[in-house]
């Protein structure tokens, strides 16, 4: 019973901290890999301001040629997923859909046109099949019921919902701007960029890196929350170990009375601490591994799992150092007394 009461908070601290930390790093890594694999454009036009002006789409198309430009407009929609309303990242697209590949596994992305079609990621399309209709709440509260024309796998890189561009633009406040343009080919777009100050061209790789950095920054508040909760859990671990050690005062005194030296008692405690911390670390790591494998398999794909060995070593080292200190410091204080307490 004493062993279980000590191992449980150790396993809890490791499983919770590692799971939450590496779930976020895995999600960021999935965003990077899926965006890099799915962006087939040679140039990505972005803006340093509120967005790329809508008029720029036609100007780029006249320069690069028809069928080479894709306009993308980001928003969020609300949809019922597993009987719960969820806010989902959404992109409105128009133009050359060959510039992006969200990994369609059912249906046809080229059918994404008009006002009553939608493509869903496999993360949210569990109950919706190609040909069925779903209810979506757009940014201004308008409800639409489009037909599902495609289901795709790369939801982390392209959002969970793809809609026709004009449907998104008609229900947002900044309808005069797109988020970015995808351009196929190596056409010289400097004359177009000069006409629209604040816009610039970048490569698909550089844009994917910027998208990854944005996802990482958006996850920082969550990481701070995880760090704070893990710190409080670690304080609980240290307190539990310290109290459990202090409660063994009579046991340690009896060992000294029957002839054990101070060094022998401390060696025993060090071995016990290693066994307790090792067992707790093994159980916590197993729980975290199951959580991460489940998340990776169901949401991002196991290939996107991102677990840093150095971070793992730092987490384990923190738990072992604090746990060892919580046991050995009270024990040394108890054994430092010249007269052993009376056994009653």
């Amino acid at each position: 019973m004493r062993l279980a009461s000590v191992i449980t908070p150790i396993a809890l601290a490791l499983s919770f901290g590692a799971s939450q930390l590496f779930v976020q790093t895995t999600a960021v890594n999935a965003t990077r890999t899926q965006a890099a694999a799915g962006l087939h454009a040679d140039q990505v036009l972005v803006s340093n301001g509120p967005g790329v002006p809508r008029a720029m789409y036609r100007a780029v198309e006249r320069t690069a040629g028809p069928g080479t430009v894709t306009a993308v407009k980001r928003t969020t929609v609300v949809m019922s997923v597993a009987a719960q309303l969820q806010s989902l990242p959404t992109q409105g697209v128009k133009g050359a859909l060959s510039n992006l590949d969200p990994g369609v596994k059912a249906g046809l992305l080229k059918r994404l046109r008009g006002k009553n079609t939608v493509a869903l990621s496999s993360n949210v399309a569990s109950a919706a099949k190609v040909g069925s209709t779903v209810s979506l709440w757009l940014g201004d509260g308008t409800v639409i019921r489009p037909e599902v024309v495609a289901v795709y796998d790369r939801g982390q890189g392209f959002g969970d919902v793809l809609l026709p561009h004009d449907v998104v633009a008609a229900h947002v406040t900044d309808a005069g701007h797109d988020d970015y343009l995808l351009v196929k080919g190596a056409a010289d777009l400097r004359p177009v960029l000069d006409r629209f100050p604040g816009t610039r061209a970048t490569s698909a790789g550089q844009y994917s890196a910027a998208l990854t950095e944005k996802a990482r920054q958006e996850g920082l508040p969550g990481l701070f929350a995880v760090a704070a909760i893990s710190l409080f859990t670690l304080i609980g671990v240290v307190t539990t170990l310290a109290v459990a050690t202090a409660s063994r005062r009579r046991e340690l005194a009896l060992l000294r009375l029957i002839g054990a030296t101070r060094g022998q008692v401390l060696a025993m405690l060090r071995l016990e601490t290693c066994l307790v911390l090792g067992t707790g670390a093994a159980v916590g790591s197993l729980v975290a591994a199951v959580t991460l494998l489940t998340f990776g398999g169901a949401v991002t794909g196991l290939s996107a799992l991102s677990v840093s060995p150095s971070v793992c070593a730092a987490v384990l080292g923190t738990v072992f150092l604090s746990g060892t200190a919580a046991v050995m410091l009270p024990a040394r204080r108890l054994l430092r007394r010249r007269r052993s307490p009376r056994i009653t």
Side-chain angles (χ1 to χ4, degrees):
M1 291 177 63
R2 178 186 296 172
L3 189 64
S5 66
V6 174
I7 289 177
T8 299
I10 298 172
L12 176 64
L14 276 173
S15 60
F16 175 81
S19 298
Q20 295 300 315
L21 175 64
F22 294 127
V23 159
Q24 294 200 37
T25 58
T26 296
V28 171
N29 186 52
T31 299
R32 178 185 64 81
T33 56
Q34 292 184 10
L39 284 179
H40 293 173
D42 297 297
Q43 302 182 70
V44 182
L45 305 186
V46 295
S47 171
N48 298 325
V52 177
R54 290 281 300 277
M56 193 173 182
Y57 173 81
R58 294 300 179 191
V60 173
E61 190 175 47
R62 285 193 294 269
T63 301
T68 60
V69 188
T70 308
V72 180
K73 179 74 175 176
R74 290 198 189 100
T75 185
T76 58
V77 301
V78 175
M79 174 182 166
S80 178
V81 180
Q84 293 184 344
L85 293 178
Q86 295 186 18
S87 179
L88 304 175
T90 303
Q91 295 192 38
V93 295
K94 74 173 180 179
L97 297 182
S98 59
N99 282 329
L100 49 88
D101 177 18
V104 175
K105 69 175 187 178
L108 296 171
L109 192 62
K110 65 181 181 181
R111 293 183 57 199
L112 188 67
R113 58 182 181 270
K115 297 183 178 180
N116 294 306
T117 58
V118 65
L120 301 176
S121 77
S122 54
N123 301 335
V124 300
S126 56
K129 298 180 180 180
V130 174
S132 63
T133 59
V134 294
S135 296
L136 302 177
W137 283 261
L138 300 177
D140 60 355
T142 302
V143 182
I144 61 173
R145 294 177 176 83
E147 176 188 355
V148 178
V149 297
V151 176
Y152 54 92
D153 286 328
R154 293 170 179 158
Q156 293 293 127
F158 294 92
D160 288 316
V161 180
L162 291 177
L163 286 169
H165 180 279
D166 292 341
V167 174
V168 172
H171 298 277
V172 294
T173 56
D174 57 341
H177 295 86
D178 294 321
D179 284 277
Y180 58 94
L181 300 180
L182 301 174
V183 184
K184 194 73 173 179
D188 185 5
L189 300 178
R190 285 177 295 180
V192 178
L193 296 175
D194 292 340
R195 288 175 50 195
F196 298 93
T199 58
R200 55 189 174 85
T202 184
S203 66
Q206 291 173 331
Y207 180 76
S208 297
L211 189 65
T212 303
E213 182 61 28
K214 181 180 179 181
R216 183 179 291 109
Q217 291 177 358
E218 290 176 349
L220 284 179
L223 288 178
F224 289 143
V226 170
I229 296 173
S230 299
L231 178 61
F232 282 114
T233 307
L234 185 61
I235 292 173
V237 170
V238 171
T239 303
T240 301
L241 291 173
V243 171
T245 303
S247 67
R248 301 175 66 184
R249 178 177 59 87
R250 291 192 298 169
E251 176 188 339
L252 299 180
L254 179 59
L255 288 173
R256 294 299 308 277
L257 288 174
I258 63 176
T261 65
R262 182 173 182 268
Q264 289 173 331
V265 175
L266 290 176
M268 178 198 72
L269 290 173
R270 281 193 291 268
L271 179 58
E272 286 182 353
T273 303
C274 289
L275 291 174
V276 169
L277 293 176
T279 304
V283 174
S285 299
L286 179 61
V287 174
V290 171
T291 303
L292 289 172
L293 289 174
T294 303
F295 175 78
V299 179
T300 63
L302 296 179
S303 60
L305 282 177
S306 177
V307 178
S308 170
S310 59
V311 175
C312 288
V315 171
L316 290 173
T318 301
V319 172
F320 270 84
L321 288 176
S322 58
T324 302
V327 172
M328 300 308 297
L329 292 180
R332 289 179 178 277
R333 183 176 180 82
L334 290 173
L335 296 173
R336 194 181 296 130
R337 298 176 178 176
R338 293 185 179 181
R339 282 177 51 189
S340 298
R342 184 171 61 186
I343 306 298
T344 58

